[in-house]
């Protein structure tokens, strides 16, 4: 048996959802180039494509948008539950708990019924942004505000979060960010979603397990750490010394590196251009020059190892300009990635076999139980 840490290079499923060419830096959703979707599609249309495999016709799109709009509200019980969460808690933990709680409210589990699947997809895509925005207001001591029916999906999220209707350019850029983050094949959180789905549990548990996995700093949580790192560097001329010191101390540069890519992540390139578009309109973030200096310095030192900026490197600068607090960067990632998780949930149900990998046992040989009095303290105690 060959053990591959982190399952590197081990196919664990067959999937028709997303394809990555890590050498060319190309990414497609259901065969459509990501750049094409990010320029021309919107998040709900892209989510439909990912989950059902084809772009919706106008009637399907109208119906999907309408259903999502109708289900944006969350029960006062969920809001009351969220009011009991500690305000100092991380919003990803709040989101994981709230997403899981939906299973209590929609407990019918009919995963072979297409209508049940459609309804669950609608509910999760509709309610997750509402729950993210609600926790933001609740932790500030305010009551969450209700979704506004005349606002499109992304405009409405920014409205619920900031309590003002967003500038149309800002809302469009945010929507494009959601498209960019919606799916990325068998990353850790999606694998987690598929493992959970394979037990035939409910979709709320599937999403909650994926949210918990996305939260880690080696995965979605890196976008928060990138801004902290840029601020620690402070100015463009400090980028080279910072990089040299980090490499000498074997510390990772946050927002760099990816198991799948040996070139710059195509999403990082698009996010960088979105950041520039925002800065041109609303003023530059001074950390942008630091980021560019770090990228340039890292190309010489890490490029030869195939380590380049990943999706998290520029997303924080975009989100900060949109007025999104730093610890909501990863929940915003989750708002988008729920589309990918649900696409994988459906695909897993279509050809399910429960995940149950094997292990290579490295523990003790069989031994006999002994009386406590006769035991000597083990080294770890
Ligand atoms: N900075 C410096 N060196 C790095 C970096 C980095 N960001 N990433 C990888 N390396 C080096 C490692 O030190 C290692 O070098 P070695 O072979 O000399 O020991 C080599 O590249 C391989 O690194 P691994 O950690 O084994 O690569 P893996 O594929 O397991 O990890 C990961 C990928 C987790 C993304 C990693 O690159 C990393 O930790 N990056 C920083 C965190 C980050 O940005 N995460 C977001 C990823 S995107 C996402 O999940 C949404």
């Amino acid at each position: 048996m060959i053990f591959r840490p982190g399952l590197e290079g081990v196919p664990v499923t067959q999937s028709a959802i997303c394809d990555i060419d890590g050498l060319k830096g190309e990414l497609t959703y259901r065969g459509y180039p990501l750049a094409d979707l990010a320029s021309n599609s919107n998040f709900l249309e892209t989510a439909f494509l990912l989950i059902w495999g084809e772009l919706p016709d106008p009637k399907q799109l109208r119906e999907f948008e309408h259903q999502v709009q109708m289900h944006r509200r969350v029960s006062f019980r969920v809001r009351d539950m969220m009011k009991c969460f500690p305000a100092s808690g991380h919003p990803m933990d709040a989101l994981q708990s709230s997403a899981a709680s939906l299973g209590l409210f929609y407990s019918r589990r009919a995963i072979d019924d297409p209508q049940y699947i459609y309804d669950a997809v609608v509910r999760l895509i509709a309610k997750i942004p509402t729950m993210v925005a609600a926790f933001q207001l609740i932790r500030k001591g305010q009551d969450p505000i209700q979704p506004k029916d005349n606002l499109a999906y992304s405009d409405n999220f920014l409205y619920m979060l900031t309590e003002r209707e967003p500038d149309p350019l800002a809302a469009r850029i945010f929507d494009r960010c959601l498209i960019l983050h919606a799916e990325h094949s068998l990353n850790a959180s999606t694998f987690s979603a598929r493992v959970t789905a394979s037990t035939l549990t409910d979709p709320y548990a599937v999403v909650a397990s994926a949210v918990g996995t996305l939260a880690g700093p080696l995965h979605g949580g890196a976008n928060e750490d990138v801004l902290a790192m840029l601020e620690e560097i402070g100015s463009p001329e400090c980028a080279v010394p910072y990089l040299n010191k980090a490499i000498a101390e074997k510390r990772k540069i946050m927002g760099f590196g990816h198991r799948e890519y040996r070139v710059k992540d195509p999403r990082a390139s698009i996010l960088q251009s979105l950041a520039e578009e925002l800065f041109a309109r609303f003023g530059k973030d001074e950390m942008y020059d630091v980021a560019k200096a770090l990228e340039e310095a890292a190309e010489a030192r890490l490029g030869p190892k195939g380590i380049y900026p990943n999706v998290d490197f520029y997303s924080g600068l975009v989100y900060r300009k949109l007025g999104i607090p730093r610890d909501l960067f990863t929940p915003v990632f989750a708002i988008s990635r729920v589309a990918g998780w649900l696409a994988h949930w459906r695909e897993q149900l279509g050809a399910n076999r429960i995940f149950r990998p094997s292990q290579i046992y490295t523990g003790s040989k069989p031994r006999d139980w002994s009386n406590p009095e006769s035991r000597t303290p083990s080294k770890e105690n």
Side-chain angles (χ1 to χ4, degrees):
M1 243 188 321
I2 300 165
F3 168 49
R4 295 196 192 282
L7 293 177
E8 180 164 7
V10 179
V12 294
T13 190
Q14 295 184 314
S15 180
I17 301 169
C18 168
D19 193 30
I20 300 170
D21 185 328
L23 295 178
K24 291 190 188 146
E26 288 172 1
L27 174 55
T28 55
Y29 292 171
R30 300 282 189 186
Y32 294 96
L34 181 66
D36 197 4
L37 294 169
S39 298
N40 300 310
S41 184
N42 63 46
F43 173 65
L44 287 185
E45 181 186 75
T46 298
F48 188 103
L49 167 72
L50 286 167
I51 296 165
W52 283 286
E54 297 296 337
L55 285 167
D57 65 29
K59 189 163 166 266
Q60 287 171 319
L61 182 59
R62 264 198 313 279
E63 176 62 10
F64 187 51
E65 286 173 341
H66 175 67
Q67 288 300 327
V68 168
Q69 187 213 332
M70 298 272 288
H71 287 88
R72 281 170 180 169
R73 281 158 210 268
V74 295
S75 158
F76 73 91
R77 290 193 180 89
V78 174
R79 297 202 302 272
D80 285 353
M81 176 190 77
M82 294 176 88
K83 286 178 187 166
C84 300
F85 293 167
S88 58
H90 196 285
M92 278 300 268
D93 296 331
L95 179 60
Q96 189 183 19
S97 310
S98 328
S101 79
L102 293 178
L104 293 161
F105 294 91
Y106 308 105
S107 54
R108 191 175 77 97
R109 193 180 299 168
I111 50 182
D112 47 1
D113 174 357
Q115 190 60 47
Y116 172 87
I117 290 179
Y118 188 89
D119 292 347
V121 164
V122 162
R123 274 192 205 111
L124 279 157
I125 288 188
K127 292 184 196 304
I128 288 221
T130 309
M131 295 191 297
V132 171
F135 185 66
Q136 170 63 5
L137 294 200
I138 287 170
R139 70 178 173 168
K140 290 199 293 181
Q142 295 171 231
D143 266 332
I145 54 177
Q146 292 293 352
K148 220 178 208 184
D149 285 346
N150 63 333
L151 293 181
Y153 186 82
S154 287
D155 303 63
N156 178 59
F157 170 69
L158 292 174
Y159 162 73
M160 290 189 299
L161 189 71
T162 62
E163 302 167 87
R164 314 183 246 109
E165 289 195 22
D167 175 275
L169 175 73
R172 175 61 188 145
I173 287 184
F174 180 73
D175 198 69
R176 293 174 74 188
C177 289
L178 296 186
I179 296 173
L180 294 175
H181 287 86
E183 160 61 8
H184 207 234
S185 79
L186 259 280
N187 55 83
S189 57
T190 302
F191 183 44
S192 179
R194 281 194 88 123
V195 171
T196 310
S198 79
T199 68
L200 304 184
T201 186
D202 68 70
Y204 310 104
V206 169
V207 167
S209 74
V211 170
T213 310
L214 184 68
L218 294 185
H219 194 8
N223 56 14
E224 273 186 49
D225 296 337
V226 169
L227 271 192
M229 176 185 70
L230 296 177
E231 280 162 2
E232 188 189 334
I233 297 171
S235 62
E237 53 282 7
C238 297
V240 171
Y242 176 90
L243 182 75
N244 290 342
K245 189 162 182 280
I247 293 175
E249 290 171 357
K250 297 201 175 308
R251 276 188 289 119
K252 289 209 171 140
I253 312 299
M254 298 316 277
F256 275 76
H258 201 284
R259 180 75 62 78
E260 292 289 315
Y261 293 111
R262 292 294 158 263
V263 295
K264 186 170 175 176
D265 184 330
R267 301 167 299 172
S269 304
I270 302 174
L271 281 160
Q272 185 175 3
S273 65
L274 294 183
E276 287 178 357
E277 223 178 299
L278 273 177
F279 299 154
R281 172 73 173 276
F282 301 108
K284 195 159 147 189
D285 186 317
E286 56 183 10
M287 288 303 123
Y288 183 52
D289 288 337
V290 179
K292 280 200 301 182
L294 184 62
E295 181 179 352
E296 197 184 313
E299 180 152 14
R301 295 290 315 268
L302 300 175
K305 287 174 84 175
I307 298 166
Y308 287 91
N310 60 47
V311 68
D312 285 332
F313 192 60
Y314 286 106
S315 63
L317 289 168
V318 173
Y319 293 149
R320 177 149 85 174
K321 199 76 220 166
L322 291 170
I324 297 171
R326 191 175 302 184
D327 60 1
L328 290 191
F329 294 172
T330 321
V332 161
F333 191 155
I335 289 175
S336 160
R337 186 55 63 83
V338 74
W341 296 330
L342 291 170
H344 283 270
W345 170 56
R346 269 202 80 225
E347 190 172 62
Q348 184 65 35
L349 294 183
N352 191 52
R353 189 165 187 219
I354 191 168
F355 279 99
R356 204 323 178 179
S358 53
Q359 63 166 15
I360 296 168
Y361 177 66
T362 60
S364 170
K365 290 201 162 56
R367 47 190 172 160
D368 296 327
W369 182 86
S370 59
N371 275 316
E373 292 74 29
S374 65
R375 292 177 207 158
T376 49
S378 69
K379 275 185 229 140
E380 272 141 42
N381 298 334

